[in-house]
Amino acid sequence: MSSQLATPRLNPEGLLDERAMAPISWRTPIILGVVSIIGLLAFVIFTPPGSISRIVVSNSATAIQIDPLHLPSQGSALFLVVVAFGLTGLAFWATLNRRRLGAIPIVFGIVMLFAFLIWAVAGNTGGLPLPLLLSTTITAAVPLVFGALAGVLCERSGIINIAIEGQLLAGAFLAVVVSSATRNPYIGLIAAPIAGALVGLLLAVFSIKYRVDQIIVGVVLNVLVLGLTNYLFSTVLTQNPQGLNNPPRMPAFAIPGLSEIPVIGPALFNQTVIVYVMYVVVAVLQIMLFRSRWGLRVRAVGEHPKAADTVGIKVNRTRYRNVVLGSAIAGFGGAAFVSAALPFTKEVSAGRGYIALAAMILGRWSPTGALAAALLFGFADSLNRVLGNIGSPVPYELLAMLPYLATIFAVAGLVGRIRPPAAEGKPYP
């Protein structure tokens, strides 16, 4: 639904205001309104009057226990839905006056999430263990973050990396074998990116040198790694499970001071080395991609390789390096699957490489955006487990589809137009 102003507007400089002449898109306000109405009906119909929601908060790192929050379920949920209606009205006003929506959709999503959590634990005596929910969210998001970062590095240089699934799987396999054989989880952590880099090298050779369709190569590599690891699991690991498929647990390290912050401290700062490396890698890549000469060259290769070539940038060499580096990062993320002393199993990655691709797109090909999108998927996965353990009446299938619905809305334009790098998937001579 769109309309145009009858008369053109001029900006303060006296020039034609192109934004004022653009058609008005009512898509986001309408979606927010529909979600608000559905939420209102759900909370009124399905929430028993007077039921209580308990949000259990604590700090396990320092044994600080905070009394649970007791909230009237129906009243609290209805209050939040009213706030959501207010945000919807604000979105309609901003759209009508051709103003940017800014953080309105994000705040709306947070409000509706809190309303849903209050409704989901209504009447449950155990309540919602918030620290556990946050901690498992980080754990579930770690491989997704590394996989999404691999996609960012590859696609920013113009190579589509569909093989993230295979890179995660290869990293997990080599990590569990090496750490089991050496009884040192850190040596396995070093071996994991090597496996991912080897898969990435195959992707680079076929995509860049032989100009094979990059999507087809990625799918084939995923199938190849899946078949190879399944074969080695059946013939090698099962023959000697104690020596080759029994990784030691990677210890967690609490950062003094930060880990003592109530609720969020244990979730963020009482983690393994893999999580801390994730923090560093996201920050470094964000700065390097958008605040350094190297990042400018990488983005130039992904946007306009011919122009980059004319100023002396080696296009294919840059793509080789980025694909191998990104694949190594994905392989490192694969080690997270077995870091908790878990043995390797067939298809241990369980399709998370494809979810990482969705997180990369939702994050608009930026490291911090990929981190936020991966946390969304990790939160949904964690919510499935926690609500299932406390006996919530919310169907598992409903929770499982929420992050995918969010991705569909984002790609459809709910959070703005998403444009990939211009030269993505196009081989260069």
Side-chain angles (χ1 to χ4, degrees):
M1 180 183 301
S2 64
S3 62
Q4 292 186 345
L5 294 180
T7 58
R9 292 182 181 178
L10 301 180
N11 59 22
E13 289 76 19
L15 301 176
L16 185 65
D17 191 344
E18 295 182 358
R19 190 179 68 179
M21 293 298 296
I24 298 177
S25 175
W26 296 98
R27 178 169 43 197
T28 299
I30 289 175
I31 292 176
L32 298 187
V34 170
V35 173
S36 299
I37 293 173
I38 294 175
L40 177 63
L41 294 176
F43 298 139
V44 170
I45 296 174
F46 297 107
T47 306
S51 60
I52 299 297
S53 291
R54 295 174 176 84
I55 310 298
V56 182
V57 292
S58 64
N59 189 357
S60 58
T62 57
I64 297 176
Q65 297 296 328
I66 305 174
D67 292 335
L69 302 176
H70 299 272
L71 303 171
S73 301
Q74 193 175 64
S76 300
L78 287 177
F79 170 77
L80 292 174
V81 171
V82 170
V83 174
F85 272 108
L87 292 171
T88 301
L90 185 60
F92 272 98
W93 175 86
T95 303
L96 182 63
N97 290 273
R98 297 180 179 274
R99 299 179 182 272
R100 295 184 182 275
L101 295 180
I104 292 178
I106 298 176
V107 176
F108 177 89
I110 294 174
V111 169
M112 292 303 295
L113 173 62
F114 274 103
F116 172 77
L117 291 178
I118 292 174
W119 171 69
V121 298
N124 189 286
T125 56
L128 179 68
L130 189 58
L132 176 62
L133 179 63
L134 296 178
S135 180
T136 53
T137 294
I138 299 296
T139 302
V142 168
L144 302 180
V145 172
F146 283 109
L149 292 177
V152 170
L153 279 176
C154 294
E155 299 201 8
R156 278 290 181 180
S157 64
I159 301 298
I160 301 175
N161 188 1
I162 302 295
I164 297 175
E165 176 77 5
Q167 293 156 8
L168 290 173
L169 193 58
F173 179 84
L174 193 58
V176 75
V177 171
V178 173
S179 61
S180 299
T182 61
R183 305 309 303 166
N184 189 327
Y186 299 106
I187 298 180
L189 207 58
I190 297 174
I194 297 176
L198 291 176
V199 179
L201 183 60
L202 290 176
L203 173 65
V205 169
F206 283 103
S207 299
I208 299 173
K209 183 175 181 179
Y210 296 107
R211 303 187 184 183
V212 181
D213 186 279
Q214 297 170 14
I215 296 178
I216 295 177
V217 172
V219 173
V220 170
L221 287 176
N222 286 337
V223 176
L224 173 64
V225 175
L226 176 62
L228 183 61
T229 53
N230 285 350
Y231 171 75
L232 294 176
F233 173 80
S234 301
T235 59
V236 178
L237 299 189
T238 54
Q239 299 297 325
N240 185 14
Q242 292 300 319
L244 296 177
N245 198 15
N246 184 29
R249 176 180 291 274
M250 186 171 293
F253 296 97
I255 298 180
L258 295 178
S259 63
E260 299 173 2
I261 301 174
V263 184
I264 65 172
L268 298 178
F269 304 110
N270 188 16
Q271 294 285 354
T272 63
V273 172
I274 298 179
V275 177
Y276 297 132
V277 171
M278 179 187 73
Y279 298 156
V280 174
V281 171
V282 169
V284 169
L285 286 183
Q286 182 69 26
I287 295 173
M288 292 296 293
L289 273 177
F290 300 103
R291 294 290 186 272
S292 72
R293 180 182 299 179
W294 172 81
L296 180 61
R297 292 182 175 183
V298 169
R299 289 183 287 120
V301 169
E303 292 290 343
H304 204 309
K306 187 174 182 180
D309 194 9
T310 58
V311 297
I313 300 175
K314 304 296 183 181
V315 173
N316 286 336
R317 181 186 299 177
T318 301
R319 289 182 170 180
Y320 266 109
R321 291 175 176 175
N322 270 49
V323 171
V324 174
L325 175 61
S327 302
I329 291 175
F332 185 89
F337 292 122
V338 295
S339 62
L342 297 176
F344 183 87
T345 58
K346 292 183 178 181
E347 303 179 31
V348 67
S349 55
R352 287 179 175 84
Y354 301 105
I355 299 178
L357 277 174
M360 175 199 67
I361 297 173
L362 184 57
R364 299 187 180 187
W365 290 268
S366 73
T368 53
L371 171 64
L375 287 174
L376 170 64
F377 283 93
F379 178 79
D381 188 13
S382 175
L383 198 60
N384 285 336
R385 302 176 185 180
V386 172
L387 292 183
N389 291 336
I390 66 176
S392 174
V394 182
Y396 172 84
E397 294 77 10
L398 175 63
L399 296 175
M401 71 181 184
L402 289 179
Y404 304 100
L405 289 177
T407 303
I408 292 174
F409 287 147
V411 174
L414 179 60
V415 295
R417 183 170 177 265
I418 297 179
R419 186 188 69 84
E424 179 186 272
K426 300 177 182 178
Y428 186 74

